[in-house]
Amino acid sequence: MSPSPPDPASDRARLAMKLRAIRAATGLSGNQFAKTLGWPQSRVSKIETAAQFPTGEDVSRWLAAADAVTEEDAVTELLKRARIESVSFRQEFQKPGGATAQQRSVLDLERQASRVATFQPALLPGLLQTPGFMRELLALPSGPASTGGASDTDVEHMVAVRIERQAQLYEPGKAMPFVIGEAALWIRIGDLETQLGQLDRLRSLVGLRTVDLRIMPFSAPMPIAPLHGFRIHDADLVVVETFAGEHLFMDPDEIAVYEHMFGRLQAEALAGDEAAQLIQSVSRRLTGEC
């Protein structure tokens, strides 16, 4: 799996073009250059087309193999800028297909991955939301109408695609682990009926064989600083969503940091019957039963 093709004007595309130009200046073909590096030819091709993001070590070896150490400062600067790609919702919504196309791009990335790991400290992930919860969430001032200029029709189409995305939860062989903070169970989005329906939905997912849903309870110390939520797509991409857009991290070393953090969260979070009991307890307290 790889991120979608970059904008030709993006730093990721510029880095790939720069490395391709450096290799071409040697007079070696991609296959010949790959042999010099001791790599498969496909790896050189993927780096030159921005289908694979190079590590700092990859770049150093590339420059050394091309005898292009004088290019080090320029390439290092490009690498630094390309490590994070920012996507603006407002700009994406203005493209053909608008908000629906943007939501479909999320679906496409998820379908390409064999594993999508999600952490949310205080908000239920879209893949776990009921349609009622989705509509209430997207209608908030932080939603796509206010931050991205999406129309009411756009929002309904976004809901439809989010529901379509949820079919992946039932795919055998698809790994979709989730860790959510207990705060996400308590934070009200919409009326009480919407919240209770959402908690019911979560309880049903806890027992699903294809879903690994865990909850980080208030009663346990948080093993990492819960600065923000994130999604990890295989070992290729980390997505961090903000009000205005998304940040895409493609550097393998940075992705490894997120994988480590997710592992710590999984190890400490409640799973199975314990998670279901916590969800049930929150439902009862919300309705005043205990």
Side-chain angles (χ1 to χ4, degrees):
M1 192 210 83
S2 62
S4 56
D7 184 316
S10 71
D11 290 318
R12 179 157 58 110
R14 288 194 186 101
L15 175 63
M17 289 188 288
K18 182 67 173 176
L19 292 173
R20 183 166 62 248
I22 288 171
R23 187 269 305 162
T26 67
L28 298 175
S29 68
N31 189 46
Q32 291 168 329
F33 193 65
K35 288 179 179 178
T36 301
L37 287 164
W39 294 352
Q41 190 276 333
S42 59
R43 185 173 179 183
V44 169
S45 176
K46 287 178 180 178
I47 288 174
E48 290 190 350
T49 57
Q52 179 175 327
F53 196 84
T55 65
E57 182 181 350
D58 289 340
V59 168
S60 295
R61 291 184 62 187
W62 192 288
L63 296 177
D67 193 20
V69 291
T70 56
E71 299 277 12
E72 184 174 2
D73 288 346
V75 175
T76 300
E77 182 59 29
L78 268 176
L79 178 65
K80 186 189 304 182
R81 295 205 305 264
R83 280 188 168 125
I84 303 176
E85 183 173 311
S86 295
V87 176
S88 163
F89 287 147
R90 185 170 294 278
Q91 291 177 0
E92 290 298 303
F93 292 174
Q94 290 172 356
K95 293 179 180 179
T100 307
Q102 188 277 333
Q103 191 68 200
R104 285 211 167 273
S105 72
V106 176
L107 173 58
D108 290 342
L109 277 176
E110 289 170 344
R111 281 177 170 166
Q112 290 178 53
S114 58
R115 173 180 175 269
V116 181
T118 303
F119 168 60
Q120 281 291 349
L123 179 66
L124 296 172
L127 284 165
L128 306 180
Q129 295 169 7
T130 64
F133 189 96
M134 292 177 197
R135 290 188 176 91
E136 295 282 4
L137 179 67
L138 295 173
L140 294 175
S142 55
S146 299
T147 62
S151 67
D152 290 344
T153 301
D154 288 332
V155 171
E156 278 304 309
H157 288 162
M158 288 180 74
V159 169
V161 178
R162 282 196 179 201
I163 294 171
E164 186 179 347
R165 286 171 56 201
Q166 293 181 352
Q168 298 174 97
L169 296 173
Y170 306 93
E171 292 180 12
K174 183 91 168 185
M176 305 199 85
F178 298 87
V179 177
I180 60 175
E182 184 180 341
L185 308 181
W186 288 97
I187 293 176
R188 284 270 298 276
I189 303 294
D191 58 24
L192 181 59
E193 183 179 354
T194 298
Q195 191 74 0
L196 293 175
Q198 179 60 73
L199 293 176
D200 251 358
R201 161 78 167 157
L202 286 182
R203 279 201 306 276
S204 70
L205 291 174
V206 166
L208 198 62
R209 187 171 56 185
T210 53
V211 175
D212 181 2
L213 172 58
R214 305 188 188 196
I215 301 172
M216 195 66 221
F218 288 144
S219 59
M222 183 66 76
I224 69 168
L227 300 177
H228 54 73
F230 56 84
R231 300 193 308 273
I232 308 172
H233 295 244
D234 289 330
D236 302 304
L237 175 71
V238 170
V239 181
V240 175
E241 187 172 338
T242 69
F243 288 129
E246 292 177 329
H247 297 310
L248 312 181
F249 296 82
M250 290 157 281
D251 183 276
D253 293 334
E254 293 175 356
I255 293 169
V257 170
Y258 278 91
E259 279 287 10
H260 176 70
M261 297 301 174
F262 190 78
R264 294 291 302 272
L265 287 160
Q266 272 196 308
E268 299 297 330
L270 301 180
D273 289 343
E274 288 182 312
Q277 288 167 11
L278 177 56
I279 295 168
Q280 182 65 35
S281 171
V282 172
S283 293
R284 288 174 174 165
R285 292 167 70 181
L286 284 172
T287 55
E289 292 183 21
C290 61

